[in-house]
Amino acid sequence: MRLFAKAGPRLRAASVIALATSVAITAFAPSSASPVESQAIAPQASVREPAIAPAEAGLRRLNEVQYARAIEQTFGPGLKIPGRFEPPLREHGLLAIGAAHVTVTPTGLEQYELRGRQIAADAVAGGHVAMPCAPKDGTFSANCARNVLGRYGRMLYRRPLKDGELSSVVALTQAGTQASGSFAKGLAAGLSRLLVSPNFIFRVERNGGPGQIDDWSLATRISFLLWDAPPDEALLDAVARGDLADKARRAAVIERMIASPRFEQGVRAFFFDMFGYEQFQGLVKDQAIYPKFSNDLVKDAQEQTLRTLVSLLIVNKGDYRDIFTTRQTFLNRNLAALYRVPAPTAAMDGWAPFTFPTTEPRAGILSLAAFLMLDPTHEGKSSPTIRGKTVRELLLCQPVPAPPPNVNFSIVQDDSNPLYQTARQRLLAHQESPACAGCHRVTDPIGLSLENYDATGGYRTHEKTALIDASGTFDGKPYSGLLGLTALLRESPDVTSCLVQRVFEYALGREARALDADWLNQANARFSAQGNRVPELMRLIASSDAIAATRPATTATAASSSSPDQAALTSLYRRAR
Amino acid sequence: MSRWTRRNLLRGTLRGSAVAVSLPFLDLFLDGNGEALANGLPLPTRFGTWFWGCGVNTSRWFPSKLGAGYDLKDELRPIAPWQDKVTVFSNFNCVLDGRPNLVHWSGVMATLSGAAPLKGGVNGGTSELPTIDCLVADYMGQSTRFRSLELACTGQSGVSYSMRAGSTVNPSEVDPVQLYRRLFGPGFQDPNKAEFTPDPAVMLRKSVLSSVKDDRDELMRTAGAADRQRLEQYFTSVRQVEQQLEHMLEKPAPAEACQLAKEPGAMALGPTWDVATRTHDVMAQLLVMALACNQTRVFNIALSNAGSNLRKPGDPVSFHELTHEEPVDEKLGYQPRATFFIERSMETFASLLKHMDGIREGSGTLLDNSLILATSESNFAKIHSVDNLPILVAGRGGGRWKSGQHISGNGDPSSRVGLTIQQVIGMPVNAWGQGAMEVTRPITEVMA
């Protein structure tokens, strides 16, 4: 079984630097459990689930997509979601962690108010609100209001409303009915009130039994993990029946959720986050340099990789590591043109499955346009440093330190200098500076070996007139070109442990800490023993004790000093840097 | 007193649709000296920040001569027509005192929040203290519909240097059409319209927000400490939008310089130079009208992010990359391609001054009644230096700021500029900032 260094996952920051100075850390013994054919990772009664670092229940802001899904699940399809959302925040590698640190600004609230008002009015007017009762025109019925608001409130808050909460909304509905002379308008005011509440806009987690969040909060965690959406009515009913409190019944609930078509959207949402796809928003490449670049190509590139992942990981229940080597993907016209391959007939007006022949330089998601173009900081060229950093940070969970502030870049690049025609030549000159070398030795060899692919994903053999040298070393092993790299990545234990760490963090809304190491080690072993199947990993985490674990909220004074765990981690992290 | 006339002082073209603001602030609303409203209240001061990324070339930007009548070097030349209304600060530093120099982040946060930040970098980060615009808006933004407006010119709403402490930025408006609708759409009440009836729908909206506050106590009881702080900010936002609605229920005070613009046409957004500056121009004109119409008194404009992604169309390399990668031309002594953006940034700033100086208010102009703090995150971006940060203050703060000087800070923290602004505006602040950036001495040379 693969062992983390004792201090936990963060220590891998140190291993990156160690590698940079060519001291390979190879404390990782190969898995002792032999891979078995696909079967559920049943929590083995004999092996206890290790404890995780204690953390308070969270408060996570819904993102734009989650907000829209909540509206659709509650009121049915077809409602417009107006207004602008506040920008997401990426922290510790995930938007899901940033969402636990952001709040709502006055400008943002202005938009939530506008949005809630519009949605509520449209929902009531457009028959999206089921009315079991119909008070006479202009009159108010408290029973009717309680009934309707109680039902929709439960869906929006992802738990039943408390008496006081419901009374507050009903009172507002009454005032609104009286002011407007219309029960429908009063009801719309009540619904908009629910939509502006932090109980809707945030996923508010609450403590339940000792050391655990309550079942409503747990259902919400599981639902956003598996579906990237709030619990539906069936799941809320299951919680009300106590299904989550019983191990076997909880397993059945999770089974149903993984079998649902929503599971695909959940897996897509996870990889969207893990792979940094929010950066596609507004991504621009210079069309004068890359004539094939267009906003459509940006959408197509994302969609291609997500389709490839869904097909491999969910439909075919494949091994996660194969995402680096698979030649099976999907194409449409735009992408066929970019890759310069004949488009299958079915791709003339849509997506068609496609297998790259072995003569093509394309295998695995790193060779697809989404990865190759996703660099919002360079619009007219590829950046080996950014690509290398992306592989290290997003796929291997190895943080790369920020550049030192006093770097003198004057030696980096004078792209008119005939001596330094390729990025490799320019970056090698840069690496001669010791202040720069440490990090660039971590990022650049990976990125430079991808230089046969330009900033939109087109294939090339030369930069200017010089032949591109795509050789590299990874974990001390020499290779050539992207396909050489991805073959090595497939075998790297960091690839699978990074995925496990990210799903864990994504589910819990916080970064992995030193005290999580035992838990992550066990999850890694199980993931590997089971053949690295992503649905099984999702199931493992959704079924775990860890996803429900919490500790009591700290008092205001105690919270100002960070926990010893965090303090230890911070010092480790600093040292690693 | 002079007879009032209506003149079209500001005329711009928004993608074909003419925008004309007819001006002067009616003298009949002023007292005999033209410096205060007839009811005895002084003309309102406006405060704004204007940010450009990637600094300057020291020798081409900072004047050599101190005091009034300073010399204008090439990069500052665009402000020449307004020189007597612009104060230049040199040798004011971001004092790190052991904190990290977070590239393209520390410098701007130090000047704007009075604290060197602990987390961040070229993609943004956290702020230890609220930025000055938030403090000023808390002080004087309550009497307008919007406490402040944030604008960015490259199409990215996350480009904003306005923050409460923490990691959430006050997001920017990036689309002139959206900005127009927010300002002058259905919620706008023409301050010069004779009749006024409060809208019952607005009253109901206010009741909705007031009802949301019922959720507060229960949430505060159950949330952890860090989350309580975030919830507190959430409910502060609720209160602020509620106040906005309250303003819509009151008859607005007349503002004669206020005239409705036509909605601008849809336009492309993005970081190429011509697109970004066109966006700036249209948004600046809308902003000037928002100020003239008393919709806000506080604003923040970011021309670009700090690691500036501004770019000439067809050029593979952005301004930020150029600052690091372009060699210094030995004959010229600077990086010509990067410097293009520095010079043009100052021209863009000057265009804002022009728009603001075109609005007459009392015996002066809107610019005279404003203080605009313009700054960048670096001195010389190539090496990320945060000593001698480029800082300008435009305007006269309604006569309380002695403008038109070049003042050296001799290495003092740049937060002294922000402290001075707060005191000139009338805020009861004796000390501002954190750690080595905390200051107690205002810059008395500019205090009238």
Side-chain angles (χ1 to χ4, degrees), chain A residues 248-489:
Chain A
R249 278 149 71 198
R250 176 171 159 193
V253 166
I254 291 167
E255 240 8 87
R256 172 183 84 85
M257 296 179 74
I258 290 178
S260 158
R262 289 191 186 129
F263 183 58
E264 177 185 325
Q265 89 192 3
V267 171
R268 277 173 168 254
F270 168 75
F271 283 109
F272 182 99
D273 191 348
M274 177 168 171
F275 291 165
Y277 279 9
E278 85 284 1
Q279 298 172 91
F280 278 117
Q281 182 79 37
L283 182 78
V284 176
K285 302 287 165 188
D286 197 311
Q287 280 177 318
I289 301 165
Y290 305 106
K292 284 182 185 143
F293 182 85
S294 67
N295 289 339
D296 281 344
L297 188 68
V298 170
K299 284 191 209 114
D300 296 341
Q302 282 181 83
E303 180 60 20
Q304 181 192 27
T305 294
L306 290 173
R307 271 175 191 255
T308 307
L309 291 168
V310 165
S311 166
L312 173 69
L313 301 175
I314 308 180
V315 179
N316 297 320
K317 300 195 167 46
D319 187 317
Y320 172 69
R321 299 172 303 169
D322 291 344
I323 69 167
F324 296 105
T325 50
T326 181
R327 286 186 173 266
Q328 292 177 7
T329 182
F330 295 81
L331 279 189
N332 67 3
R333 269 173 103 140
N334 262 343
L335 291 167
L338 178 71
Y339 300 137
R340 284 176 283 184
V341 292
T345 323
M348 280 303 126
D349 44 22
W351 289 95
F354 182 80
T355 303
F356 281 112
T358 48
T359 48
E360 288 295 325
R362 309 270 172 189
I365 61 163
L366 298 195
S367 72
L368 302 181
F371 171 78
L372 293 165
M373 70 167 62
L374 191 50
D375 172 5
T377 56
H378 297 82
E379 297 180 357
K381 59 178 187 181
S382 57
S383 164
T385 305
I386 295 285
R387 283 179 178 171
K389 187 167 181 279
T390 303
V391 170
R392 290 280 182 202
E393 292 191 332
L394 299 189
L395 301 173
L396 301 168
C397 298
Q398 300 169 343
V400 175
N406 56 347
V407 175
N408 186 345
F409 286 82
S410 58
I411 45 169
V412 185
Q413 285 181 1
D414 170 5
D415 53 15
S416 59
N417 188 332
L419 288 177
Y420 303 126
Q421 291 199 32
T422 66
R424 179 180 295 271
Q425 292 160 343
R426 293 190 292 273
L427 278 164
L428 280 178
H430 181 47
Q431 282 186 23
E432 282 165 15
S433 158
C436 308
C439 304
H440 280 279
R441 275 188 207 144
V442 173
T443 55
D444 295 355
I446 289 180
L448 285 167
S449 69
L450 310 181
E451 273 295 286
N452 283 133
Y453 305 80
D454 70 24
T456 56
Y459 188 77
R460 60 183 176 188
T461 53
H462 289 74
E463 187 175 355
K464 300 198 179 82
T465 56
L467 189 69
I468 289 167
D469 167 11
S471 62
T473 50
F474 176 74
D475 281 3
K477 297 179 195 108
Y479 66 90
S480 173
L482 188 149
L483 302 188
L485 170 69
T486 51
L488 290 174
L489 275 177

Side-chain angles (χ1 to χ4, degrees), chain A residues 204-227:
Chain A
V204 181
E205 296 173 347
R206 284 151 207 274
N207 289 329
Q212 280 198 322
I213 52 176
D214 70 13
D215 286 356
W216 302 104
S217 308
L218 174 60
T220 297
R221 273 196 181 183
I222 293 173
S223 185
F224 278 96
L225 168 66
L226 300 178
W227 289 350

Side-chain angles (χ1 to χ4, degrees), chain B residues 243-366:
Chain B
Q243 283 167 2
Q244 246 171 257
L245 295 173
E246 262 161 34
H247 287 296
M248 292 168 68
L249 292 171
E250 288 161 13
K251 181 165 170 32
E256 197 59 24
C258 168
Q259 243 205 12
L260 263 183
K262 289 210 181 90
E263 182 169 323
M267 51 192 287
L269 305 174
T272 44
W273 180 257
D274 46 344
V275 171
T277 45
R278 194 161 61 231
T279 305
H280 179 274
D281 197 52
V282 177
M283 292 215 290
Q285 293 180 59
L286 291 172
L287 170 69
V288 162
M289 279 176 263
L291 295 168
C293 296
N294 287 331
Q295 300 301 295
T296 190
R297 287 187 187 152
V298 180
F299 63 87
N300 299 287
I301 301 181
L303 178 60
S304 75
N305 57 340
S308 177
N309 60 345
L310 287 169
R311 198 170 55 81
K312 283 194 199 172
D315 192 326
V317 190
S318 68
F319 179 19
H320 173 222
E321 291 169 82
L322 284 170
T323 63
H324 295 311
E325 297 175 0
E326 186 189 10
V328 172
D329 182 300
E330 283 186 20
K331 269 200 210 119
L332 295 171
Y334 59 90
Q335 301 162 294
R337 286 164 74 200
T339 299
F340 166 89
F341 292 96
I342 299 172
E343 291 175 351
R344 296 295 96 72
S345 294
M346 291 301 100
E347 282 172 13
T348 309
F349 180 59
S351 76
L352 174 69
L353 301 185
K354 181 175 176 217
H355 289 312
M356 292 189 67
D357 212 29
I359 302 269
R360 284 219 68 77
E361 272 191 352
S363 58
T365 68
L366 178 61

Side-chain angles (χ1 to χ4, degrees), chain A residues 2 14 59 79 96 104 125 140 160 165 189 257 275 290 295 302 346 375 377 405 414 436 509 518 546-547 555 557 570:
Chain A
R2 180 169 171 234
L59 181 77
L79 286 174
V104 173
F140 174 76
E165 291 175 326
M257 296 179 74
F275 291 165
Y290 305 106
N295 289 339
Q302 282 181 83
D375 172 5
T377 56
D414 170 5
C436 308
D518 289 346
I547 197 174
T555 60
T557 42
T570 309

Side-chain angles (χ1 to χ4, degrees), chain A residues 56-61 84-87 89 91-92 98-111 113 117 157 159 162 165 168-169 172 175-176 179-180 185 189-190 192-193 196-199 201-202 204-207 284-286 288-289 376-381 403-410 412-415 553-556 559, chain B residues 101-103 119-120 123 126 146-148 150 157-158 164 167-174 178 182 200-201 204-209 211-215 218-219 221-231 233-241 244-245 271-272 309 311-318 321 323-327 337 382-385:
Chain A
E56 291 177 5
L59 181 77
R60 290 186 249 179
R61 198 174 72 191
R84 157 171 69 60
F85 284 78
E86 300 205 66
L89 175 73
E91 287 203 318
H92 301 283
H101 296 158
V102 288
T103 178
V104 173
T105 65
T107 325
L109 197 95
E110 199 185 306
Q111 298 287 315
E113 191 265 343
R117 189 155 41 91
Y157 284 16
R159 60 170 173 81
K162 299 193 169 81
E165 291 175 326
S168 156
V169 187
L172 175 74
S180 65
K185 284 193 177 153
S192 76
R193 147 84 174 82
V196 183
S197 170
N199 286 303
I201 290 170
F202 291 90
V204 181
E205 296 173 347
R206 284 151 207 274
N207 289 329
V284 176
K285 302 287 165 188
D286 197 311
I289 301 165
T377 56
H378 297 82
E379 297 180 357
K381 59 178 187 181
N406 56 347
V407 175
N408 186 345
F409 286 82
S410 58
V412 185
Q413 285 181 1
D414 170 5
D415 53 15
T554 43
T555 60
Chain B
N101 181 359
L102 306 165
V103 300
K119 251 173 78 180
N123 295 318
T126 60
F146 300 102
R147 288 165 69 97
S148 75
E150 281 69 56
S157 67
R164 295 274 163 189
S167 48
T168 312
V169 299
N170 291 314
S172 290
E173 292 289 344
V174 298
Q178 297 300 328
R182 189 166 164 225
L204 186 53
R205 287 167 63 191
K206 194 168 156 292
S207 316
V208 167
L209 291 184
S211 168
V212 167
K213 291 190 295 189
D214 292 351
D215 294 351
E218 198 265 346
L219 282 165
R221 234 188 353 264
T222 50
D227 291 341
R228 278 201 294 276
Q229 229 172 41
R230 293 161 63 213
L231 285 164
Q233 286 181 28
Y234 178 90
F235 284 106
T236 303
S237 298
V238 172
R239 275 193 295 279
Q240 292 191 8
V241 176
Q244 246 171 257
L245 295 173
T272 44
N309 60 345
R311 198 170 55 81
K312 283 194 199 172
D315 192 326
V317 190
S318 68
E321 291 169 82
T323 63
H324 295 311
E325 297 175 0
E326 186 189 10
R337 286 164 74 200
K382 188 179 186 70
I383 56 165
H384 302 124
S385 54

